[in-house]
Amino acid sequence: MAKRSLSETCTKYPIQLPMQYQTSGVRSVKGSGQTISMNSKTVRFISDHDLRAGLEVCLVISWPAYLPDGTALNLFMFGSIERSLSLEVDVGISRYEFRTRGNPDGWSARGGTVELNRTI
């Protein structure tokens, strides 16, 4: 029996939200897209670039809910690309966190490069 990936075994919720991403490595790629479905372990999205499986990636998703004081949120999800077919990409998530949306392009005010690491 073939081993199934996380994207095949976990229930995903259909949700379409604007997002940005950045891959790690020497040839880092920044782009944007829209989520198709997600849960706490996987995200499927449509990308504006052809991305290859195995790349580490940071996703920044514009979260639709706000804090009680009206502050907007971004959901940062870190993981690796499990599958990429045409422009549809599946990412296995290793960690995620919510951050306040202080910068209009979604990236940290510290500069624009997001450090990817494997901590959970």
Short mmCIF file of all heavy atoms in Angstrom, two decimals, residues 71-103:
data_model
loop_
_atom_site.label_atom_id
_atom_site.label_comp_id
_atom_site.label_asym_id
_atom_site.label_seq_id
_atom_site.Cartn_x
_atom_site.Cartn_y
_atom_site.Cartn_z
N THR A 71 -7.85 45.51 14.95
CA THR A 71 -6.55 45.23 14.35
C THR A 71 -6.65 44.02 13.41
O THR A 71 -7.18 42.98 13.78
CB THR A 71 -5.50 44.94 15.43
OG1 THR A 71 -5.41 46.07 16.31
CG2 THR A 71 -4.13 44.67 14.82
N ALA A 72 -6.13 44.19 12.20
CA ALA A 72 -6.14 43.11 11.20
C ALA A 72 -5.03 42.11 11.50
O ALA A 72 -4.00 42.45 12.10
CB ALA A 72 -5.96 43.70 9.81
N LEU A 73 -5.26 40.86 11.06
CA LEU A 73 -4.30 39.78 11.32
C LEU A 73 -3.83 39.13 10.02
O LEU A 73 -4.56 39.06 9.05
CB LEU A 73 -4.95 38.70 12.18
CG LEU A 73 -5.37 39.09 13.58
CD1 LEU A 73 -6.20 37.98 14.20
CD2 LEU A 73 -4.16 39.40 14.43
N ASN A 74 -2.60 38.62 10.07
CA ASN A 74 -2.07 37.73 9.05
C ASN A 74 -1.77 36.40 9.72
O ASN A 74 -1.31 36.35 10.85
CB ASN A 74 -0.77 38.27 8.45
CG ASN A 74 -1.00 39.36 7.45
OD1 ASN A 74 -2.03 39.41 6.80
ND2 ASN A 74 -0.05 40.28 7.34
N LEU A 75 -2.00 35.32 9.00
CA LEU A 75 -1.63 34.00 9.46
C LEU A 75 -0.36 33.60 8.72
O LEU A 75 -0.35 33.51 7.49
CB LEU A 75 -2.74 32.99 9.18
CG LEU A 75 -2.44 31.53 9.47
CD1 LEU A 75 -2.06 31.32 10.93
CD2 LEU A 75 -3.64 30.66 9.08
N PHE A 76 0.73 33.42 9.46
CA PHE A 76 2.00 32.96 8.89
C PHE A 76 2.06 31.46 9.05
O PHE A 76 1.90 30.95 10.16
CB PHE A 76 3.19 33.60 9.62
CG PHE A 76 3.50 35.00 9.19
CD1 PHE A 76 2.64 36.04 9.47
CD2 PHE A 76 4.69 35.27 8.52
CE1 PHE A 76 2.93 37.33 9.08
CE2 PHE A 76 4.99 36.57 8.12
CZ PHE A 76 4.11 37.60 8.40
N MET A 77 2.28 30.74 7.96
CA MET A 77 2.39 29.28 7.99
C MET A 77 3.72 28.90 7.36
O MET A 77 4.06 29.38 6.27
CB MET A 77 1.23 28.64 7.26
CG MET A 77 -0.11 28.98 7.88
SD MET A 77 -1.50 28.17 7.09
CE MET A 77 -1.75 26.84 8.27
N PHE A 78 4.48 28.04 8.04
CA PHE A 78 5.79 27.62 7.59
C PHE A 78 5.77 26.13 7.32
O PHE A 78 5.23 25.36 8.11
CB PHE A 78 6.84 27.93 8.67
CG PHE A 78 6.90 29.38 9.07
CD1 PHE A 78 6.06 29.87 10.07
CD2 PHE A 78 7.77 30.24 8.45
CE1 PHE A 78 6.11 31.20 10.44
CE2 PHE A 78 7.83 31.58 8.81
CZ PHE A 78 6.99 32.06 9.81
N GLY A 79 6.35 25.72 6.21
CA GLY A 79 6.38 24.31 5.89
C GLY A 79 7.13 24.03 4.61
O GLY A 79 7.96 24.83 4.17
N SER A 80 6.82 22.89 3.99
CA SER A 80 7.48 22.52 2.75
C SER A 80 6.44 22.08 1.72
O SER A 80 5.39 21.54 2.07
CB SER A 80 8.51 21.43 2.97
OG SER A 80 7.91 20.28 3.48
N ILE A 81 6.77 22.31 0.47
CA ILE A 81 5.88 21.97 -0.62
C ILE A 81 5.89 20.46 -0.82
O ILE A 81 6.94 19.87 -1.05
CB ILE A 81 6.28 22.71 -1.91
CG1 ILE A 81 6.13 24.22 -1.70
CG2 ILE A 81 5.44 22.22 -3.10
CD1 ILE A 81 6.66 25.08 -2.84
N GLU A 82 4.72 19.84 -0.68
CA GLU A 82 4.59 18.39 -0.85
C GLU A 82 4.29 18.02 -2.29
O GLU A 82 4.71 16.97 -2.76
CB GLU A 82 3.44 17.86 0.02
CG GLU A 82 3.69 17.90 1.48
CD GLU A 82 2.53 17.31 2.27
OE1 GLU A 82 1.42 17.16 1.72
OE2 GLU A 82 2.75 16.99 3.44
N ARG A 83 3.51 18.85 -2.96
CA ARG A 83 3.07 18.55 -4.32
C ARG A 83 2.83 19.86 -5.06
O ARG A 83 2.35 20.82 -4.48
CB ARG A 83 1.77 17.76 -4.28
CG ARG A 83 1.24 17.32 -5.63
CD ARG A 83 -0.13 16.68 -5.51
NE ARG A 83 -1.18 17.64 -5.22
CZ ARG A 83 -1.84 18.35 -6.15
NH1 ARG A 83 -1.56 18.21 -7.40
NH2 ARG A 83 -2.78 19.19 -5.78
N SER A 84 3.17 19.88 -6.33
CA SER A 84 2.91 21.04 -7.16
C SER A 84 2.55 20.54 -8.55
O SER A 84 3.33 19.85 -9.19
CB SER A 84 4.14 21.94 -7.22
OG SER A 84 3.89 23.07 -8.00
N LEU A 85 1.35 20.86 -8.98
CA LEU A 85 0.86 20.44 -10.28
C LEU A 85 0.33 21.68 -10.99
O LEU A 85 -0.63 22.28 -10.52
CB LEU A 85 -0.23 19.39 -10.13
CG LEU A 85 -0.80 18.81 -11.42
CD1 LEU A 85 0.29 18.13 -12.24
CD2 LEU A 85 -1.89 17.80 -11.09
N SER A 86 0.99 22.04 -12.09
CA SER A 86 0.71 23.32 -12.75
C SER A 86 0.92 24.41 -11.71
O SER A 86 1.99 24.51 -11.17
CB SER A 86 -0.68 23.35 -13.36
OG SER A 86 -0.81 22.38 -14.37
N LEU A 87 -0.10 25.17 -11.40
CA LEU A 87 0.04 26.24 -10.42
C LEU A 87 -0.70 25.93 -9.11
O LEU A 87 -0.83 26.79 -8.26
CB LEU A 87 -0.45 27.57 -11.00
CG LEU A 87 0.33 28.06 -12.22
CD1 LEU A 87 -0.27 29.34 -12.77
CD2 LEU A 87 1.81 28.27 -11.89
N GLU A 88 -1.15 24.69 -8.93
CA GLU A 88 -1.81 24.27 -7.70
C GLU A 88 -0.79 23.59 -6.80
O GLU A 88 -0.15 22.63 -7.19
CB GLU A 88 -2.97 23.33 -8.01
CG GLU A 88 -3.85 23.06 -6.82
CD GLU A 88 -5.10 22.32 -7.20
OE1 GLU A 88 -5.89 22.84 -8.01
OE2 GLU A 88 -5.27 21.19 -6.68
N VAL A 89 -0.65 24.11 -5.57
CA VAL A 89 0.43 23.71 -4.68
C VAL A 89 -0.14 23.21 -3.35
O VAL A 89 -1.05 23.84 -2.79
CB VAL A 89 1.38 24.91 -4.42
CG1 VAL A 89 2.52 24.52 -3.49
CG2 VAL A 89 1.91 25.47 -5.73
N ASP A 90 0.40 22.11 -2.83
CA ASP A 90 0.08 21.59 -1.50
C ASP A 90 1.29 21.78 -0.60
O ASP A 90 2.40 21.38 -0.97
CB ASP A 90 -0.25 20.10 -1.53
CG ASP A 90 -1.61 19.81 -2.13
OD1 ASP A 90 -2.42 20.74 -2.29
OD2 ASP A 90 -1.87 18.63 -2.43
N VAL A 91 1.07 22.36 0.57
CA VAL A 91 2.14 22.61 1.52
C VAL A 91 1.83 21.87 2.82
O VAL A 91 0.72 22.02 3.36
CB VAL A 91 2.31 24.12 1.80
CG1 VAL A 91 3.37 24.36 2.88
CG2 VAL A 91 2.69 24.86 0.54
N GLY A 92 2.80 21.08 3.32
CA GLY A 92 2.70 20.48 4.65
C GLY A 92 3.22 21.48 5.66
O GLY A 92 4.33 21.99 5.53
N ILE A 93 2.41 21.80 6.65
CA ILE A 93 2.73 22.86 7.61
C ILE A 93 3.46 22.29 8.82
O ILE A 93 3.02 21.32 9.43
CB ILE A 93 1.43 23.58 8.07
CG1 ILE A 93 0.70 24.18 6.86
CG2 ILE A 93 1.73 24.63 9.13
CD1 ILE A 93 1.51 25.19 6.06
N SER A 94 4.59 22.92 9.19
CA SER A 94 5.33 22.51 10.39
C SER A 94 5.03 23.43 11.57
O SER A 94 5.13 23.02 12.71
CB SER A 94 6.83 22.48 10.11
OG SER A 94 7.29 23.73 9.70
N ARG A 95 4.69 24.69 11.30
CA ARG A 95 4.27 25.60 12.37
C ARG A 95 3.53 26.77 11.77
O ARG A 95 3.64 27.07 10.58
CB ARG A 95 5.45 26.03 13.23
CG ARG A 95 6.28 27.15 12.69
CD ARG A 95 7.43 27.49 13.65
NE ARG A 95 8.37 28.31 12.94
CZ ARG A 95 8.35 29.64 12.95
NH1 ARG A 95 7.47 30.28 13.66
NH2 ARG A 95 9.23 30.32 12.25
N TYR A 96 2.76 27.44 12.63
CA TYR A 96 2.02 28.61 12.19
C TYR A 96 1.83 29.56 13.35
O TYR A 96 1.93 29.17 14.52
CB TYR A 96 0.67 28.23 11.57
CG TYR A 96 -0.26 27.47 12.48
CD1 TYR A 96 -1.19 28.14 13.27
CD2 TYR A 96 -0.22 26.09 12.54
CE1 TYR A 96 -2.04 27.44 14.11
CE2 TYR A 96 -1.07 25.38 13.36
CZ TYR A 96 -1.98 26.06 14.15
OH TYR A 96 -2.83 25.38 14.97
N GLU A 97 1.59 30.83 13.03
CA GLU A 97 1.35 31.85 14.06
C GLU A 97 0.59 33.01 13.45
O GLU A 97 0.73 33.31 12.26
CB GLU A 97 2.66 32.32 14.68
CG GLU A 97 3.61 32.96 13.68
CD GLU A 97 4.99 33.22 14.26
OE1 GLU A 97 5.66 32.26 14.70
OE2 GLU A 97 5.39 34.41 14.29
N PHE A 98 -0.21 33.65 14.27
CA PHE A 98 -0.89 34.86 13.86
C PHE A 98 -0.04 36.06 14.24
O PHE A 98 0.58 36.07 15.31
CB PHE A 98 -2.25 34.97 14.56
CG PHE A 98 -3.29 34.07 13.98
CD1 PHE A 98 -3.54 32.83 14.55
CD2 PHE A 98 -4.02 34.45 12.86
CE1 PHE A 98 -4.50 31.98 14.03
CE2 PHE A 98 -4.98 33.60 12.33
CZ PHE A 98 -5.22 32.38 12.91
N ARG A 99 -0.01 37.05 13.35
CA ARG A 99 0.70 38.31 13.62
C ARG A 99 -0.21 39.45 13.20
O ARG A 99 -1.00 39.31 12.26
CB ARG A 99 2.00 38.40 12.82
CG ARG A 99 3.01 37.35 13.18
CD ARG A 99 4.29 37.55 12.40
NE ARG A 99 5.19 36.41 12.57
CZ ARG A 99 6.30 36.25 11.90
NH1 ARG A 99 6.67 37.14 10.99
NH2 ARG A 99 7.06 35.20 12.11
N THR A 100 -0.07 40.57 13.89
CA THR A 100 -0.86 41.74 13.49
C THR A 100 -0.38 42.22 12.14
O THR A 100 0.80 42.10 11.79
CB THR A 100 -0.78 42.86 14.53
OG1 THR A 100 0.57 43.21 14.74
CG2 THR A 100 -1.42 42.43 15.84
N ARG A 101 -1.30 42.75 11.36
CA ARG A 101 -1.01 43.20 10.00
C ARG A 101 -0.60 44.66 10.04
O ARG A 101 -1.40 45.54 9.83
CB ARG A 101 -2.24 43.00 9.11
CG ARG A 101 -1.93 43.10 7.64
CD ARG A 101 -3.16 42.90 6.78
NE ARG A 101 -3.90 41.70 7.16
CZ ARG A 101 -5.19 41.53 6.92
NH1 ARG A 101 -5.90 42.45 6.32
NH2 ARG A 101 -5.79 40.42 7.30
N GLY A 102 0.70 44.91 10.27
CA GLY A 102 1.18 46.28 10.35
C GLY A 102 1.77 46.78 9.05
O GLY A 102 1.87 47.96 8.80
N ASN A 103 2.17 45.85 8.18
CA ASN A 103 2.84 46.21 6.94
C ASN A 103 1.93 45.84 5.78
O ASN A 103 1.48 44.71 5.68
CB ASN A 103 4.16 45.43 6.86
CG ASN A 103 5.07 45.92 5.76
OD1 ASN A 103 4.63 46.57 4.83
ND2 ASN A 103 6.34 45.58 5.87
#
